[in-house]
Amino acid sequence: MAAMQTLTDNFLRAVGKPSLDQRKQLQAALLQEGVWGLDVLESAVHLTAATLAMTIPEVMVHGMRLYTVPLGVVEKVPRLGSLDLLSNTSITPQLALYPDMNHTAVRATDAQRQPKPLQLPKFDLICMNPPFARTCEDNLLFGSLPKHERKRLKQALQRLLKKGPIAASVKAGLASVFIAVADRYLRAGGRLAFVAPKTLLSGVTWKASRQLLMQH
């Protein structure tokens, strides 16, 4: 919603007093092509879709580029949700609210077809409120999952970060890793807006993230 509002505000400043038809055209373009979203919860994707569509309820769209991505041990393979984007392998959504089957994922609810890998473009603006989960005594990095799955996901994430190398620290928490994901998918000159704990400013484990932000 933050990305949607930012783009709309920029349009209003540039145009001045757009007509209702112009605002409808903008809304349709943003909802269908301009705004992308990934989450591990189907409920969050559906809620986001409803919230985005409420701006101008009269606008009807054919679909939105909102996807759920798998989190947990799926068919014996650790899946890290959006963090799988750090690997060189593509990710396959479990649910897609966009029916186009030419260059993106097939709707996972379509029993006649298998979901295709999701190909993300480079973005001009990425907004995120990543989880603050971090390593501690009971490893709450993936706290919503059973303990045996959390252990496997943590090991998979550590291997991924070492293989990169990726400017992030698991000890700082998942927010550090999400910043690295966002940096990879920003266009040159793009903008990143995120919520992070204040320990980002001086925490030792956040050093890699600070260096990444200062570098770019």
Side-chain angles (χ1 to χ4, degrees), residues 14-122:
V15 176
K17 294 183 179 180
S19 65
L20 181 58
D21 286 340
Q22 287 178 310
R23 294 188 61 185
K24 287 182 178 180
Q25 291 175 8
L26 173 67
Q27 173 94 344
L30 289 178
L31 291 180
Q32 293 184 154
E33 299 291 343
V35 175
W36 293 57
L38 303 177
D39 203 289
V40 297
L41 299 175
E42 289 189 6
S43 58
V45 171
H46 285 129
L47 180 60
T48 299
T51 302
L52 292 175
M54 286 175 60
T55 308
I56 304 179
E58 298 88 347
V59 174
M60 299 295 293
V61 295
H62 298 293
M64 300 182 191
R65 296 196 180 277
L66 304 176
Y67 307 93
T68 58
V69 286
L71 174 67
V73 179
V74 181
E75 297 181 352
K76 299 182 179 181
V77 178
R79 302 302 304 272
L80 301 172
S82 299
L83 299 183
D84 278 336
L85 293 170
L86 286 173
S87 66
N88 293 324
T89 58
S90 55
I91 61 174
T92 302
Q94 295 172 307
L95 169 72
L97 297 184
Y98 201 90
D100 177 24
M101 291 174 282
N102 293 323
H103 57 278
T104 186
V106 177
R107 295 170 71 98
T109 51
D110 187 345
Q112 304 301 319
R113 303 175 186 268
Q114 293 296 318
K116 292 182 179 179
L118 177 63
Q119 301 296 328
L120 291 184
K122 293 283 188 176

Side-chain angles (χ1 to χ4, degrees), residues 96-148:
L97 297 184
Y98 201 90
D100 177 24
M101 291 174 282
N102 293 323
H103 57 278
T104 186
V106 177
R107 295 170 71 98
T109 51
D110 187 345
Q112 304 301 319
R113 303 175 186 268
Q114 293 296 318
K116 292 182 179 179
L118 177 63
Q119 301 296 328
L120 291 184
K122 293 283 188 176
F123 297 103
D124 296 296
L125 171 66
I126 296 180
C127 299
M128 61 169 60
N129 183 6
F132 289 176
R134 61 185 179 84
T135 54
C136 58
E137 292 182 1
D138 193 33
N139 176 27
L140 295 181
L141 276 181
F142 304 96
S144 61
L145 298 174
K147 188 173 183 178
H148 69 279

Side-chain angles (χ1 to χ4, degrees), residues 169-186:
S169 171
V170 175
K171 292 183 179 179
L174 291 182
S176 174
V177 187
F178 272 96
I179 291 173
V181 174
D183 177 73
R184 179 167 294 192
Y185 284 90
L186 276 176

Side-chain angles (χ1 to χ4, degrees), residues 6-16 18-19 22-23 26:
T6 298
L7 295 170
T8 302
D9 290 346
N10 288 341
F11 174 76
L12 293 176
R13 281 194 292 267
V15 176
S19 65
Q22 287 178 310
R23 294 188 61 185
L26 173 67

